[in-house]
Amino acid sequence: MPRGRIIAALALIVSAAIQGMTVELSTDEPGNLFTESMPVRIHIRVAGGMPAALIWRAYERNGVRGTQGVLDPATGDGPPAPIVLELPAERGLFMLEVTVTGPAGSADASLPYAVAVDPNEPDPDGYWGVFLVPYAGPEDAAKAREQALKLRRLGVQWIRLNLWLDAFEDLRIESEDPPRITVRFGKYESIVRAMQDQGIRVMGEFCHMPEALSSKPGQRAGNSDAGPLFARVPPRSWELWECLVEQTVTTFGDGVDAWEIWNEPNIGGRYWAGTVEEFAQMVKRTSQVIRRVRPGVPVVVGGFTCSTAERENGPEFVARLLELGVADHLDVFSSHSFSDDYRHLLDAHGLGALPVWDTEQHDLVSLKTLRLGVARMFHFYSRLDRSSLTDLPALTTADG
């Protein structure tokens, strides 16, 4: 990746001080994430006294590999110059620990860093993606670029980007008849732009009903992470909802390469608190708008769960949807940990050739998903505004 593409780099600084001496460790790379072809350079800055010795140790956080050494800092009348420690570019999750000693005392510091395998080139047909949780806080283009760069270095080809309630900024209903809505997507647009710049494809998802359009406004009872009730029900006006869908799809334009309709609607009352018939309406009406505004863009439905605990709401819910004719309004069937039950159901309805995407996969490598012919997998989940990268260890851990 050209260095000029890195517009904003995160320098995570971890420091500790004893008796006035301090040591700080940092890198120039976002999230302290390197790839195997990059030099792994750590900056060491000592303040509060002239160091006599510097001892360092780098070790694998979930393995046995490690290396260590002693540096002899240059001495002089002025403050010590920053030291650059170059470490082996071996794939894995590592921790660097540094101890400095001198007449003014001693100090310790530690820094986590990771080295990932060099990624393949961006590929629109790529198999592997992640369910991305956006960076915390308001719109910040630098954070968006940093998030996208880390994903690219990890080899991510696709992201699943859910449009939760916070995505719809300054939403206003200007007119009911004819329906006219104004809305902004500042933060989410910044994320999509950053992903485009890195060659990462985006699957957007409609998964929440804004309160202004809800058939149950003011009803804020929550259900775990599913959000308030007003966000999990049909709209009070399908015409207004279609207007919002059109605005959304038009605004993101070619920055979104596929659109998914809803998240786990078959878990009774959790992410979808309407009926199965109302959800069939949601699919049909939303799909029609997407296809009209962006012909050829895949319509993905609907992130159905396959857990044993929700079995009574799984295949039965989907079977009823198919009876209601939703198959004509989708291009991709999506589930979370695709199961034999769904494969048998699709085959029974003559949909065996329908592409299947697993849009929330908890296993790092799912042999079942591969066996059942799933065409694309999105790992659950990645926020990546932390530096430990412990949520994606398979990409940064040595083989064997």
Side-chain angles (χ1 to χ4, degrees):
M1 177 59 58
R3 301 289 294 224
R5 296 292 297 274
I6 306 173
I7 301 175
L10 171 67
L12 174 65
I13 298 177
V14 183
S15 64
I18 303 176
Q19 300 180 20
M21 180 173 283
T22 65
V23 58
E24 296 181 343
L25 309 178
S26 67
T27 76
D28 293 329
E29 307 306 327
N32 305 327
L33 174 62
F34 302 84
T35 64
E36 290 176 310
S37 63
M38 298 173 61
V40 180
R41 295 191 177 112
I42 312 294
H43 304 291
I44 305 173
R45 295 175 176 83
V46 180
M50 187 63 66
L54 187 152
I55 303 170
W56 62 269
R57 180 172 77 104
Y59 59 90
E60 192 175 15
R61 299 177 66 185
N62 53 353
V64 298
R65 293 175 299 158
T67 184
Q68 58 188 358
V70 177
L71 297 178
D72 183 14
T75 59
D77 296 332
I83 300 167
V84 177
L85 174 64
E86 186 157 336
L87 296 169
E90 298 177 343
R91 179 156 55 112
L93 289 164
F94 295 91
M95 179 67 74
L96 173 67
E97 296 177 345
V98 172
T99 298
V100 294
T101 60
S106 64
D108 304 293
S110 61
L111 181 79
Y113 69 95
V115 181
V117 63
D118 289 321
N120 294 327
E121 291 299 313
D123 180 4
D125 296 323
Y127 176 78
W128 193 74
V130 295
F131 171 18
L132 181 72
V133 177
Y135 59 82
E139 178 182 354
D140 188 324
K143 286 184 178 180
R145 289 191 293 267
E146 176 188 307
Q147 230 181 6
L149 177 59
K150 285 187 279 189
L151 290 172
R152 180 81 284 277
R153 287 187 179 178
L154 288 171
V156 171
Q157 302 283 5
W158 281 77
I159 66 163
R160 179 197 194 208
L161 184 63
N162 290 19
L163 300 186
W164 304 115
L165 289 176
D166 69 322
F168 302 95
E169 302 173 22
D170 303 325
L171 188 152
R172 294 184 181 182
I173 298 175
E174 304 291 347
S175 171
E176 298 269 351
D177 186 16
R180 190 169 69 252
I181 291 174
T182 58
V183 63
R184 295 193 315 109
F185 299 93
K187 176 178 177 177
Y188 283 67
E189 282 191 88
S190 76
I191 293 170
V192 169
R193 284 193 297 269
M195 297 299 162
Q196 277 190 302
D197 288 344
Q198 293 294 338
I200 297 172
R201 269 63 182 181
V202 177
M203 180 182 71
E205 184 194 72
F206 292 100
C207 57
H208 263 169
M209 182 64 59
E211 187 171 17
L213 277 67
S214 176
S215 57
K216 295 184 182 295
Q219 298 198 27
R220 301 182 176 276
N223 189 333
S224 184
D225 63 339
L229 178 60
F230 71 74
R232 299 179 278 120
V233 296
R236 60 182 175 86
S237 162
W238 285 111
E239 289 72 23
L240 282 174
W241 172 252
E242 291 170 351
C243 182
L244 178 61
V245 172
E246 180 173 356
Q247 284 278 84
T248 304
V249 176
T250 300
T251 298
F252 286 100
D254 62 5
V256 171
D257 303 274
W259 282 101
E260 187 175 31
I261 302 174
W262 230 257
N263 175 70
E264 300 183 352
N266 57 307
I267 302 181
R270 187 168 181 181
Y271 296 99
W272 176 256
T275 66
V276 64
E277 290 78 15
E278 288 170 327
F279 187 71
Q281 274 285 88
M282 171 63 73
V283 171
K284 293 176 182 179
R285 288 176 175 268
T286 306
S287 175
Q288 287 170 353
V289 176
I290 294 170
R291 288 174 168 177
R292 173 167 52 82
V293 178
R294 292 287 315 282
V297 168
V299 175
V300 185
V301 181
F304 303 106
T305 185
C306 301
S307 68
T308 303
E310 303 297 338
R311 188 180 179 87
E312 67 277 9
N313 295 319
E316 291 80 0
F317 186 98
V318 176
R320 177 59 179 150
L321 286 177
L322 295 176
E323 291 171 2
L324 293 169
V326 299
D328 293 334
H329 301 275
L330 61 94
D331 303 300
V332 177
F333 180 90
S334 65
S335 72
H336 298 165
S337 299
F338 190 61
S339 70
D340 290 281
D341 288 334
Y342 283 134
R343 171 53 67 201
H344 297 327
L345 182 62
L346 293 178
D347 290 344
H349 283 79
L351 300 172
L354 187 69
V356 174
W357 294 0
D358 192 334
T359 55
E360 283 187 24
Q361 174 56 252
H362 291 258
D363 295 332
L364 291 170
V365 178
S366 173
L367 297 180
K368 181 182 72 173
T369 295
L370 296 173
R371 174 177 64 82
L372 292 172
V374 170
R376 181 160 292 125
M377 188 274 287
F378 295 76
H379 183 70
F380 182 87
Y381 66 89
S382 172
R383 182 163 192 157
L384 288 182
D385 61 0
R386 300 178 297 273
S387 62
S388 66
L389 300 171
T390 52
D391 54 344
L392 294 169
L395 296 172
T396 52
T397 302
D399 297 328

